[in-house]
Amino acid sequence: MTTATVLSVSSFPTNRMSTGSSTFSSNFGGTNFSKMHVSFQFLVPHYNFKNSKIFHKRFSNGLSSRRGFRLSCETKTEEIKIRRCSPYLERTLVSSNGALTSDDWRAVPDIWRSSAEKYGDRIAVVDPYHDPPTSLTYKQLEQEILDFSEGLRVIGVKPDEKLALFADNSYRWLVTDQGMMAMGAVDVVRGSRSSIEELLQIYIHSERACKLGALGFEITGKDLGLCVALAVDNPELFNRIVETFCSKAAPRFVILLWGEKSHLAINRMEGIPIFSYKEIIDLGQESCKAFSDSDDARQHYKYETISCDDIATLVYTSGTTGNPKGVMLTHKNLLHQINNLWDIVPAQPADRFLSMLPPWHAYERAAEYFIFTHGIEQVYTTVRNLKVDLQQYQPHYLITVPLVFETLYSGIQKQLSTSSTLRKILAFMFIKISLTYMEMKRIYEGTYLVRSRKEPSYFVSMLDWLWARIIAAILLPVHMLAKKLVYSKIHSAIGISKAGVSGGGSLPSHVDKFFEAIGVVVQNGYGMTESSPVTAARRPSNNVLGSIGLPIRHTEFKIVDAETGEVLPHGSKGIVKVRGPQVMKGYYKNPLATKQAVDEDGWLNSGDIGWIAPYHSRGRSRHCGGVIVLEGRAKDTIVLLTGENVEPLELEEAAMRSSLIQQIVVIGQDQRRLGAIVVPNKDEVLEAAKKRSIVDPDATELSKKQITSLLNEELRKWTSGCSFQIGPILVIDEPFTIDSGLMTPTMKIRRDKVVALYKEQIADLYK
């Protein structure tokens, strides 16, 4: 501690009179910067506000024009300020000031120093669709993260404070996220497509009461508000949420990642500073320079390093079964992913990845952190530009959700269907032969899933192997011809020369088999937000179709009985539980939910139904032992009046193979038979009706009865091999969307909300 004369600043409306008993005071409404900068100088001692162009520009036409400030002088004991750093990222600064450092990564931002040292001048990120389009090397990316982190310190952000980051995929999201983490703050993340109500709920739930306003101004009375600040994607999002947030949340300040501040509805942000992304970077650059040039400036701080057990981020669950819960992920949780995903994705320097998932989603986020430690090049794309970018950039890997692979599958099928009759017949014949060839190949290679614990005899195994070998040998020449004539063209259109990695949802079996048949490697993985998220995945060397692969390193799985909790043997179906270093610290402000999800021994209840493949020493499944197979969500299980339990996922995946069905939700809880809510693909339904002469060739629409009849036929056709059949169906016109609240931001259908919305129609359906 040191004794010093300190100037403090408090804000008040300019039309109020100043009163006070301090030894020295002066009111100013924004024109006397010589007084104003002195006050800021004491808040951040090493930063020269007097000479800062950014400071003068920011307060010459913003906050100062609307509010006055009270300047007071008093003598008091000055606390040494805490400067928390990522230990390896800022190793030089930390070690020179007496704090402990480590050669190992202790915090997520530590990875950037290692990557900059190894891959400095390699391209790290390419962001072509934002203004301005950007390309950064690893050295430039590391420096931008450091500058942003320092900029946050300049504007008064302190360690452990929570900052909301509501934005979509871009390199600036990555810099903002890592800048926040690097100075010890906790980011609370969500995408721009979430509803205002959901964003507000997340923002307020993660707040922490405070006594300091923006930039350290003292605020009292009705001004006492939330300590959380807000970083938003663009002016459109800002203008959509500003009225609600200002009336119910009142952030200390706002950071705009993209776009111009002139497009903001700032009339509702009275007294709340708004910073552009560039202003934060510029403030950070000036502060870093001042800090490095002055030994005296560094003496005002006590240096701490981020602990691996510190909370790095709050990620709110997608809310498929209720309100989102805030998952507390530590640096240790995320570092486990970074250190252990190479077995799944053996990335090499200069490999190119396409990124299109929401970056706040745990799957995309962990994958990004990991791949940047291996010198790859990441190109940001969008759903709209994916098709073009796959051709243009020819990525080595595509890490995404099943919906993208389903979309690619549907697009390929549609393109083949619109070819000439001869080409269409030839293409589909080739695909059918390749599907059979790959099935035989799985049998003789021992990667054909079998649930039975009974091992086949040696004689039966040999016959099975020999039969599969002979059939595969017969089909191989046709399969190779198909690769040359048909599949090579598909490959050139979609790139993905090494692998597509699917996660965040269930990968339909027919999509999985199709890509295997045409020679595009697709690996399926599994995890939850609560496990950071990856817990299991298929390896390139053991890509067992129909499974989610083996547990990743340091991770355990077990299957338990849903009622008794008894551990079940391999091959038995039950509730999947997971344990490992990646399991969350808990749900924020929700100890009861945490206790329900994670038991005393650290086992996380996934809520999924599955089984573990038995170990066999011979036969068609001899290399499948230990892989995990999922069969649906326990909460999604439909219990019929007959007492039978039905997993709707099997039926829905089968039905979605029909080009006539856009979306489907199987229903039937407490009913005698199953039903379904179906969103038809209207163009395909109309085309099918014309082909079957149900309507005239020039017809432009169908009756509801005709659509229902066609869909019933399709459902019978595609679900005939399932354990249960679908009865009555409710055909609706409007698809389930994120904007309607019927899908999560990660494109999962919210079953409970769909059923609640159509409650009356469902009741009529079963009358």
Side-chain angles (χ1 to χ4, degrees):
M1 293 184 180
T2 58
T3 301
T5 302
V6 179
L7 298 178
S8 63
V9 181
S10 57
S11 64
F12 62 90
T14 53
N15 59 355
R16 286 177 55 188
M17 295 296 294
S18 170
T19 59
S21 58
S22 57
T23 56
F24 169 75
S25 68
S26 176
N27 296 334
F28 51 92
T31 57
N32 193 337
F33 292 104
S34 63
K35 295 177 180 178
M36 193 173 179
H37 86 263
V38 173
S39 303
F40 283 87
Q41 196 65 68
F42 278 87
L43 293 173
V44 189
H46 73 271
Y47 183 70
N48 191 340
F49 284 96
K50 183 175 182 179
N51 296 329
S52 171
K53 295 178 182 178
I54 307 302
F55 173 79
H56 279 259
K57 180 181 178 183
R58 174 68 189 84
F59 288 96
S60 63
N61 53 21
L63 177 65
S64 57
S65 64
R66 297 192 299 270
R67 300 187 67 84
F69 300 95
R70 181 177 297 113
L71 178 66
S72 62
C73 177
E74 58 181 308
T75 301
K76 67 177 184 179
T77 301
E78 181 185 329
E79 293 286 342
I80 297 294
K81 294 180 174 59
I82 302 297
R83 184 183 176 97
R84 193 171 296 169
C85 304
S86 191
Y88 193 76
L89 178 66
E90 298 189 75
R91 180 174 56 175
T92 305
L93 175 65
V94 171
S95 60
S96 64
N97 288 278
L100 294 175
T101 61
S102 171
D103 289 333
D104 298 323
W105 296 333
R106 305 289 294 170
V108 174
D110 285 341
I111 67 176
W112 302 108
R113 173 54 52 89
S114 298
S115 293
E117 290 171 349
K118 289 181 184 177
Y119 315 113
D121 293 325
R122 286 188 182 275
I123 296 296
V125 292
V126 178
D127 194 343
Y129 296 112
H130 283 93
D131 185 17
T134 307
S135 176
L136 294 178
T137 66
Y138 276 89
K139 281 182 181 177
Q140 291 169 329
L141 183 57
E142 180 206 23
Q143 190 57 54
E144 196 142 327
I145 289 168
L146 286 168
D147 291 339
F148 193 92
S149 180
E150 186 64 21
L152 292 176
R153 292 187 179 106
V154 170
I155 62 174
V157 179
K158 296 177 177 59
D160 298 321
E161 288 187 339
K162 299 175 183 67
L163 307 176
L165 174 53
F166 297 156
D168 296 324
N169 210 3
S170 72
Y171 94 91
R172 287 186 178 179
W173 190 99
L174 179 67
V175 171
T176 304
D177 164 62
Q178 288 302 281
M180 290 174 176
M181 278 194 199
M183 52 83 57
V186 178
D187 59 359
V188 183
V189 293
R190 202 60 165 184
S192 67
R193 295 184 67 183
S194 297
S195 67
I196 298 173
E197 293 74 20
E198 188 173 274
L199 293 177
L200 181 65
Q201 179 191 357
I202 289 170
Y203 185 96
I204 291 176
H205 184 251
S206 59
E207 59 84 15
R208 179 171 68 86
C210 70
K211 293 185 179 181
L212 286 178
L215 293 165
F217 299 141
E218 183 180 350
I219 52 179
T220 58
K222 68 178 182 179
D223 290 323
L224 183 62
L226 308 182
C227 190
V228 179
L230 181 62
V232 297
D233 198 332
N234 51 45
E236 290 75 25
L237 175 61
F238 176 90
N239 293 336
R240 182 161 67 90
I241 68 174
V242 60
E243 186 172 355
T244 301
F245 270 64
C246 284
S247 63
K248 297 183 179 180
R252 274 166 41 185
F253 60 84
V254 174
I255 299 173
L256 182 67
L257 299 193
W258 296 97
E260 300 297 329
K261 289 197 289 183
S262 59
H263 297 155
L264 302 178
I266 56 174
N267 56 308
R268 295 194 180 101
M269 295 292 289
E270 185 73 22
I272 298 176
I274 301 170
F275 299 92
S276 70
Y277 175 88
K278 190 174 186 308
E279 284 175 339
I280 298 295
I281 293 292
D282 290 344
L283 284 169
Q285 287 175 344
E286 290 191 20
S287 179
C288 284
K289 187 176 186 306
F291 205 83
S292 62
D293 291 347
S294 171
D295 291 334
D296 181 62
R298 293 194 285 272
Q299 305 308 312
H300 290 276
Y301 291 91
K302 177 185 177 183
Y303 294 84
E304 292 181 351
T305 56
I306 298 169
S307 166
C308 62
D309 292 319
D310 288 346
I311 298 172
T313 184
L314 281 179
V315 185
Y316 280 75
T317 58
S318 57
T320 52
T321 56
N323 289 329
K325 297 186 285 289
V327 176
M328 296 183 289
L329 296 181
T330 65
H331 289 273
K332 179 182 179 181
N333 293 149
L334 295 169
L335 284 170
H336 170 271
Q337 301 284 284
I338 294 168
N339 289 323
N340 292 289
L341 293 184
W342 195 87
D343 293 341
I344 318 307
V345 183
Q348 300 296 325
D351 277 352
R352 185 176 290 120
F353 286 69
L354 271 187
S355 174
M356 61 168 291
L357 291 182
W360 54 266
H361 190 259
Y363 173 46
E364 172 72 14
R365 202 171 181 186
E368 283 195 16
Y369 296 158
F370 154 69
I371 61 178
F372 281 120
T373 64
H374 292 279
I376 61 85
E377 177 185 316
Q378 174 156 288
V379 179
Y380 291 94
T381 186
T382 63
V383 174
R384 181 180 300 174
N385 297 301
L386 178 61
K387 183 179 177 181
V388 173
D389 286 344
L390 283 169
Q391 280 189 303
Q392 179 179 344
Y393 292 104
Q394 293 288 298
H396 297 88
Y397 291 95
L398 179 65
I399 298 177
T400 189
V401 291
L403 182 62
V404 173
F405 292 106
E406 289 184 67
T407 303
L408 290 174
Y409 166 81
S410 299
I412 294 167
Q413 293 282 325
K414 190 170 185 177
Q415 182 122 3
L416 294 175
S417 297
T418 55
S419 303
S420 66
T421 304
L422 181 60
R423 286 186 177 181
K424 180 169 65 174
I425 292 172
L426 195 63
F428 284 116
M429 180 195 72
F430 278 146
I431 291 171
K432 193 170 183 178
I433 289 171
S434 293
L435 285 168
T436 305
Y437 167 76
M438 294 307 299
E439 184 172 352
M440 296 301 107
K441 190 168 184 280
R442 290 200 303 276
I443 291 172
Y444 74 70
E445 287 184 346
T447 57
Y448 191 97
L449 264 178
V450 173
R451 186 176 160 191
S452 173
R453 291 195 296 275
K454 185 178 179 182
E455 195 163 5
S457 68
Y458 182 80
F459 179 71
V460 170
S461 299
M462 283 300 298
L463 282 180
D464 197 32
W465 179 87
L466 186 60
W467 170 74
R469 269 289 192 184
I470 291 170
I471 299 298
I474 294 170
L475 298 179
L476 179 58
V478 184
H479 174 68
M480 297 304 294
L481 183 62
K483 287 178 71 173
K484 185 175 182 180
L485 296 180
V486 180
Y487 308 155
S488 60
K489 294 180 175 61
I490 298 175
H491 288 189
S492 64
I494 65 174
I496 317 180
S497 57
K498 290 191 175 180
V501 185
S502 176
S506 175
L507 180 65
S509 175
H510 66 281
V511 175
D512 205 357
K513 290 177 180 177
F514 170 78
F515 281 110
E516 181 196 45
I518 67 171
V520 175
V521 177
V522 174
Q523 296 167 229
N524 194 20
Y526 169 72
M528 305 167 62
T529 304
E530 290 85 346
S531 57
S532 308
V534 184
T535 54
R538 298 185 338 210
R539 272 62 165 179
S541 59
N542 189 26
N543 195 11
V544 179
L545 264 67
S547 78
I548 54 166
L550 295 164
I552 65 173
R553 281 188 290 176
H554 314 299
T555 305
E556 301 171 83
F557 273 73
K558 69 178 179 180
I559 308 297
V560 301
D561 184 272
E563 295 181 0
T564 66
E566 177 189 355
V567 178
L568 300 175
H570 288 188
S572 300
K573 194 194 305 185
I575 301 296
V576 177
K577 289 196 171 186
V578 185
R579 181 167 67 180
Q582 69 270 56
V583 172
M584 66 174 179
K585 190 168 188 175
Y587 293 119
Y588 184 64
K589 291 184 178 179
N590 201 339
L592 179 60
T594 301
K595 190 174 181 180
Q596 291 171 343
V598 185
D599 67 22
E600 294 177 353
D601 295 322
W603 286 99
L604 171 65
N605 187 339
S606 72
D608 289 313
I609 299 169
W611 48 277
I612 299 174
Y615 286 92
H616 290 168
S617 60
R618 56 181 176 268
R620 58 175 59 185
S621 64
R622 63 187 180 277
H623 295 309
C624 297
V627 303
I628 299 103
V629 182
L630 298 183
E631 295 197 353
R633 293 283 295 168
K635 290 181 180 178
D636 292 341
T637 301
I638 296 170
V639 183
L640 298 174
L641 278 178
T642 59
E644 295 171 291
N645 290 348
V646 183
E647 306 306 331
L649 186 63
E650 178 193 16
L651 285 159
E652 289 166 355
E653 285 189 357
M656 286 298 292
R657 296 178 66 180
S658 168
S659 61
L660 275 58
I661 297 174
Q662 182 178 341
Q663 292 170 312
I664 182 171
V665 172
V666 173
I667 57 176
Q669 181 66 35
D670 298 325
Q671 303 292 339
R672 290 185 180 276
R673 56 181 176 163
L674 296 173
I677 302 172
V678 181
V679 180
N681 188 330
K682 293 179 181 178
D683 292 339
E684 294 291 338
V685 171
L686 181 60
E687 190 65 30
K690 290 177 180 178
K691 286 181 179 179
R692 300 177 195 184
S693 301
I694 296 173
V695 294
D696 296 331
D698 57 348
T700 57
E701 60 181 24
L702 298 173
S703 68
K704 184 63 71 77
K705 185 177 180 180
Q706 289 170 325
I707 294 173
T708 303
S709 177
L710 278 168
L711 292 175
N712 273 319
E713 285 183 31
E714 287 292 293
L715 287 172
R716 283 193 293 271
K717 172 185 173 182
W718 292 105
T719 64
S720 60
C722 298
S723 306
F724 292 85
Q725 298 300 303
I726 294 172
I729 64 171
L730 174 64
V731 179
I732 60 174
D733 295 325
E734 293 298 320
F736 314 134
T737 64
I738 296 172
D739 294 336
S740 68
L742 300 181
M743 292 190 82
T744 71
T746 51
M747 307 301 289
K748 297 173 185 172
I749 295 174
R750 287 181 160 127
R751 291 177 180 275
D752 57 334
K753 292 186 182 293
V754 171
V755 171
L757 180 64
Y758 295 103
K759 183 179 179 181
E760 293 181 6
Q761 293 95 316
I762 292 171
D764 291 338
L765 196 67
Y766 281 102
K767 283 182 180 178

